[in-house]
């Protein structure tokens, strides 16, 4: 009886509230909406004096509504309103040919290539270091402090040095950026994979010993598969860091293309809207990259029979 | 051969009447040695009518811990013939698991000599002469049941077709045909432990070391598995060394019960226990069974009072 009563109420009132799409997206939509409202209020408050000064300089009379309207349509506002950012973003993504220097697609592609190459190098380096650390106590003691030290130096200070040194030996363009990106992103992978490679149960390791498995077999059949969940967790961290690394690497190198170059140009000329549009592009890129890692992880997990 | 027995016996001597199975095992062992060295083989066989699967002499093992030294094993001597089913019973910390680990070369004794299948424990491990079953199934969660069974075979370099054949044969032996493609988490605890037994048998070692394999299972499943294990032992003719906490389990399964006591770990009684090979659970109600169980219990109690 209770069952049928439940079924009735489900099919009766509140159909919208129980719709799976609603259940899934309502909380996210609420947060986004709240953020947009806060953003508009902040834009009005921050740009208010700027717009007022403008009116007063030109000695034209103004009303409150004109003032508020002005804060949302200024050409170089302190904080652009969301619709300005979005229209600039849409304009620079779809308004130009993908190869045009004003196209965000072009700049994103430049940064993306450095990010992906840096991520690949960083992942290889990170996994390689983890393997060395796991297999040798001496290496663990000698390498680990340096690895940790490497992350304590601010990358903004290091990046120009990297670029100059690499430029001196004839490396320019994509590679220096990728190396800076790799330098940032190998760290979470090393830490994660050291944990992952040592994750197997002592019993599983003992079993391998009773079968007198070679170290290589222990690695490929036990340590490596045990480390896979740790691998994906650290890859997700690493791929966002490598994007940040690639963008940061574009700042001091005087790069002409890339999201970093776009940010730099925007700040030179006070084009705040352009800066925000570039930031939005970086965010879109980052979520795309994480989504890609996530998708790969799901595929691998299905292969490995992970309980879902 | 080192025991200095006279070489009086000759296999083909009509006056000597050896039991049939001993005669067979003799032939088998001479074949193993190689017929060109019949004299040696003869001496060995006269020294002990059955070949020793495990020969432990004066073995001691001391652990260095933060609280000082712990004598896990103290001057333990034990001879186990081929084809026996030997149970080790005793309270926690009496060294029964350590004993098994020493035989498996997962730990090295501090002193004493140890022969497994007539060779050193390390050599026996390197030649994969034993299968080990732990307290937990220790299956590899990312492998299907079939692939778990194939794991030791892969490591030992069996051909693909042989791997498939053996996986099917040993899954059938533990009544799990049809579960090949399942992942471990899809099986109950008892089924998982059966898989781990099949895995230990899959490369056909003569010796099976089992460390409380049914300790984590409930009484009903345990009884059932005990019967299955007994049939398996009868069918395969392997030597089994079996660590347990349970007196009925030890008496029901064994041809020999080794009662151990803790601090320092030592053997206080070895009880022969010769129920017919095709025994069923009903024998647990017979007076003979209860008598042996009583003797085990007395031994365990004596070990404890000595300790306190």
């Amino acid at each position: 009886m209770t069952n049928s009563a439940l079924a009735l109420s489900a099919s009766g009132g509140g159909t919208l509230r129980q719709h799976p799409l609603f259940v899934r997206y309502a909380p996210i939509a609420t947060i986004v909406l709240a953020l947009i409202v806060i953003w508009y209020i902040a834009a009005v408050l921050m740009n208010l004096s700027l717009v007022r000064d403008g009116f007063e300089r030109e000695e034209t009379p103004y009303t409150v509504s004109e003032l508020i309207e002005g804060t949302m349509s200024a050409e170089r506002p302190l904080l652009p309103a969301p619709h300005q950012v979005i229209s600039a973003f849409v304009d620079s993504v779809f308004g130009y040919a993908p190869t045009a220097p004003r196209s965000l697609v072009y700049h994103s592609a430049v940064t993306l290539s450095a990010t992906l190459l840096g991520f690949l190098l960083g992942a290889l380096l990170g996994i390689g270091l983890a393997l060395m650390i796991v297999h040798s106590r001496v290496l663990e003691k000698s390498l680990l402090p340096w690895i940790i030290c490497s992350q304590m130096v601010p990358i903004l200070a290091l990046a120009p040095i990297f670029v100059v040194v690499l430029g001196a030996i004839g490396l320019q363009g994509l590679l220096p950026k990728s190396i800076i990106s790799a330098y940032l992103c190998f760290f979470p992978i090393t830490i994660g994979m050291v944990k992952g490679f040592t994750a197997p149960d002592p019993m599983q390791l003992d079993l391998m010993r009773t079968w007198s498995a070679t170290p290589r077999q222990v690695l490929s059949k036990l340590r490596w598969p045990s480390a896979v969940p740790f691998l994906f967790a650290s890859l997700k961290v690493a791929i966002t860091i490598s994007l940040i690394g690639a963008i940061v690497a574009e700042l001091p190198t005087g790069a002409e293309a890339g999201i970093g170059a776009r940010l730099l140009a925007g700040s030179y000329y006070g084009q705040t809207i352009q800066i925000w549009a570039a930031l939005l592009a970086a965010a879109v890129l980052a979520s795309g990259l994480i989504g890609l890692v996530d998708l790969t992880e799901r595929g691998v997990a299905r292969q490995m029979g992970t309980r879902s | 051969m080192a025991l200095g027995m006279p070489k009086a016996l000759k296999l083909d001597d009509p006056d000597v009447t050896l039991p049939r199975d001993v005669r067979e095992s003799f032939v088998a062992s001479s074949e193993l040695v190689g017929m060109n060295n019949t004299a040696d083989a003869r001496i060995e066989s006269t020294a002990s009518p059955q070949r020793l699967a495990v020969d432990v002499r004066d073995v001691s093992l001391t652990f260095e811990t933060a609280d000082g030294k712990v004598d896990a094993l103290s001057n333990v001597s034990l001879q186990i013939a081929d084809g026996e089913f030997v149970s080790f019973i005793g309270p926690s910390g009496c060294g029964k698991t350590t004993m098994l680990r020493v035989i498996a070369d997962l730990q090295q004794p501090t002193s004493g000599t140890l022969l497994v299948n007539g060779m050193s424990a390390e050599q026996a491990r390197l030649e994969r002469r034993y299968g080990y079953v732990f307290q937990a199934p220790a299956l590899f969660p990312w492998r299907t049941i079939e692939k778990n069974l194939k794991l030791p075979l892969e490591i030992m370099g069996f051909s693909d077709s042989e791997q498939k054949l053996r996986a099917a044969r040993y899954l059938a032996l533990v009544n799990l045909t049809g579960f090949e493609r399942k992942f471990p988490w899809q099986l109950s605890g008892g089924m998982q432990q059966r898989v781990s037994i099949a895995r230990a048998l899959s490369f056909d070692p003569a010796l099976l070391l089992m460390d409380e394999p049914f300790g984590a299972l409930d009484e009903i499943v345990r009884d059932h598995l005990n019967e299955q294990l007994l049939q398996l032992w009868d069918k395969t003719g392997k030597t089994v060394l079996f660590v347990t906490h349970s007196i009925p389990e030890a008496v029901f399964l064994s041809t020999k019960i080794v009662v151990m006591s803790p601090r320092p770990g030592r053997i206080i009684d070895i009880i022969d226990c010769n129920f017919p090979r095709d025994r069923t659970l009903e024998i647990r109600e017979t007076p003979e069974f209860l008598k042996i169980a009583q003797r085990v219990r007395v031994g365990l109690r004596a070990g404890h009072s000595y300790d306190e």
Side-chain angles (χ1 to χ4, degrees):
Chain A
M1 211 181 99
T2 42
N3 268 348
S4 63
L6 274 175
L8 262 179
S9 77
S11 63
T15 36
L16 177 68
R17 296 181 61 179
Q18 274 152 357
H19 194 280
L21 280 178
F22 181 88
V23 171
R24 186 159 172 197
Y25 291 112
I28 308 169
T30 311
I31 297 290
V32 169
L33 211 65
L35 283 176
I36 288 176
V37 168
I38 292 171
W39 193 346
Y40 269 111
I41 294 171
V44 169
L45 292 178
M46 286 182 73
N47 303 331
L48 200 60
S49 59
L50 199 79
V51 175
R52 196 167 42 208
D53 289 352
F55 278 124
E56 276 165 7
R57 209 177 305 126
E58 289 164 27
E59 292 175 350
T60 44
Y62 58 91
T63 60
V64 175
S65 69
E66 276 175 335
L67 193 63
I68 290 179
E69 205 191 302
T71 58
M72 291 191 210
S73 56
E75 206 178 307
R76 291 175 184 183
L78 275 180
L79 178 65
H83 68 267
Q84 288 179 294
V85 174
I86 289 170
S87 80
F89 177 76
V90 170
D91 194 42
S92 51
V93 167
F94 302 105
Y96 303 93
T99 50
R102 300 196 66 166
S103 164
L104 259 183
V105 177
Y106 166 68
H107 293 287
S108 297
V110 168
T111 303
L112 184 65
S113 57
T115 302
L116 289 180
L117 185 58
F119 177 65
L120 187 73
L121 293 175
L124 290 179
L125 177 66
I127 292 169
L129 283 172
L131 276 176
M132 284 157 79
I133 288 170
V134 167
H135 279 92
S136 155
R137 266 205 89 68
V138 180
L139 282 180
E140 183 189 346
K141 290 218 164 129
S142 55
L143 277 181
L144 212 51
W146 288 109
I147 291 172
I148 292 166
C149 271
S150 76
Q151 301 300 306
M152 294 196 291
V153 185
I155 191 67
L156 267 175
L158 273 182
I161 304 176
F162 268 67
V163 172
V164 169
V165 170
L166 291 171
I169 57 168
L171 290 177
Q172 276 168 338
L174 184 64
L175 207 57
K177 288 201 287 179
S178 302
I179 288 174
I180 290 167
S181 156
Y183 180 87
L184 275 187
C185 84
F186 85 92
F187 182 68
I189 297 178
T190 300
I191 299 297
M193 287 311 269
V194 167
K195 187 88 186 146
F197 284 139
T198 49
D201 197 87
M203 238 180 246
Q204 291 172 326
L205 285 166
D206 274 347
L207 266 175
M208 294 304 263
R209 197 171 146 80
T210 68
W211 301 327
S212 69
T214 63
R216 190 178 293 243
Q217 286 171 328
V218 174
L219 177 67
S220 68
K221 294 188 191 296
L222 178 57
R223 289 193 191 276
W224 186 253
S226 303
V228 164
F230 295 86
L231 175 68
F232 279 105
S234 39
L235 285 186
K236 269 185 240 174
V237 178
I239 199 150
T240 47
I241 294 184
S242 76
L243 177 64
I244 292 171
I247 292 175
V248 167
E250 284 164 353
L251 298 179
T253 56
E256 283 156 14
I259 292 177
R262 200 78 181 141
L263 287 173
L264 205 61
S267 75
Y268 278 155
Y269 303 113
Q271 297 281 0
T272 40
I273 299 179
Q274 181 189 323
I275 295 178
W276 281 87
L279 285 179
L280 193 60
V284 169
L285 216 54
S287 26
L289 289 171
I290 289 191
L292 217 62
V293 176
D294 210 44
L295 219 65
T296 317
E297 181 181 22
R298 276 185 219 185
V300 171
R302 197 169 307 125
Q303 284 288 309
M304 292 175 70
T306 310
R307 198 172 186 164
S308 49
Chain B
M1 58 188 124
L3 297 179
M5 286 293 201
K7 23 175 148 175
L9 281 181
K10 281 189 179 169
L11 187 64
D12 47 354
D13 191 339
D15 295 332
V16 181
T17 49
L18 282 170
R20 199 180 139 68
D21 56 334
V22 174
R23 214 174 255 274
E24 273 164 9
S25 81
F26 179 91
V27 171
S29 72
S30 346
E31 271 165 8
L32 265 177
V33 175
M35 291 310 281
N36 53 350
N37 204 351
T38 39
D40 263 2
R42 233 169 262 157
I43 299 166
E44 191 174 86
S45 89
T46 48
S48 52
Q50 280 183 301
R51 231 160 52 93
L52 286 182
V54 177
D55 188 0
V56 181
R57 288 177 200 273
D58 276 329
V59 162
S60 297
L61 198 157
T62 311
F63 287 118
E64 303 277 353
T65 68
D67 308 330
K69 287 183 177 179
V70 175
D71 291 316
L73 291 173
S74 165
N75 294 315
V76 172
S77 292
L78 181 68
Q79 279 73 44
I80 298 168
D82 252 353
E84 278 198 275
F85 195 123
V86 181
S87 286
F88 294 83
I89 191 166
S92 309
C94 71
K96 50 197 194 304
T97 293
T98 310
M99 180 86 189
L100 221 57
R101 290 180 66 86
V102 165
I103 292 169
D105 188 40
L106 293 175
Q107 251 153 10
Q108 281 68 43
T110 337
S111 67
T113 57
L114 176 66
L115 290 179
V116 179
N117 263 321
M119 56 185 94
S120 76
E122 188 187 7
Q123 205 178 351
R125 177 177 66 79
L126 292 176
E127 293 190 13
R128 291 129 175 181
R129 294 301 178 95
Y130 67 83
Y132 203 109
V133 180
F134 288 90
Q135 286 106 319
L139 300 177
F140 289 31
W142 53 86
R143 284 176 165 252
T144 60
I145 296 306
E146 186 184 28
K147 286 205 169 155
N148 261 291
L149 259 178
K150 283 180 178 173
L151 179 61
L153 307 173
E154 278 172 26
I155 287 171
M156 296 173 196
F158 284 78
S159 71
D160 280 357
S161 55
E162 181 71 13
Q163 285 180 26
K164 211 166 168 53
L165 211 73
R166 282 176 181 247
R169 185 194 308 158
Y170 286 97
L171 268 185
L173 196 67
V174 295
N175 292 329
L176 281 174
T177 305
F179 288 89
E180 288 86 354
R181 295 188 182 285
K182 296 272 191 251
F183 282 98
W185 61 270
Q186 294 170 303
L187 270 62
S188 70
M191 288 161 123
Q192 290 187 23
Q193 197 55 282
R194 265 146 65 197
V195 175
S196 88
I197 293 171
R199 179 179 59 184
L201 291 169
S202 65
F203 51 99
D204 203 24
L207 180 61
L208 196 56
L209 306 175
M210 306 180 87
D211 184 5
E212 285 185 56
F214 309 138
L217 305 176
D218 67 67
E219 189 91 20
I220 299 163
V221 176
R222 180 189 273 232
D223 278 353
H224 181 62
L225 289 184
N226 278 344
E227 275 190 313
Q228 281 196 332
L229 179 60
L230 208 56
Q231 286 165 13
L232 215 136
W233 170 66
D234 192 28
K235 251 190 269 181
T236 57
K238 306 216 178 284
T239 313
V240 184
L241 273 60
F242 188 93
V243 166
T244 178
H245 268 127
S246 153
I247 298 176
E249 189 171 67
V251 180
F252 176 68
L253 289 173
S254 316
T255 59
K256 201 182 249 181
I257 302 168
V258 177
V259 184
M260 297 185 72
S261 115
R263 286 176 291 269
R266 66 204 185 282
I267 294 174
I268 47 177
D269 198 4
I270 298 179
I271 303 162
D272 281 318
C273 180
N274 284 312
F275 294 105
R277 285 180 84 101
D278 57 346
R279 70 199 85 148
T280 55
L281 285 169
E282 280 71 52
I283 65 152
R284 290 192 300 191
E285 318 299 331
T286 62
E288 295 82 18
F289 186 95
L290 296 174
K291 213 173 113 193
I292 294 175
Q294 174 66 13
R295 188 170 154 195
V296 175
R297 196 167 291 119
V298 168
L300 287 174
R301 205 172 294 148
H304 252 287
S305 59
Y306 184 87
D307 185 46
E308 274 147 18

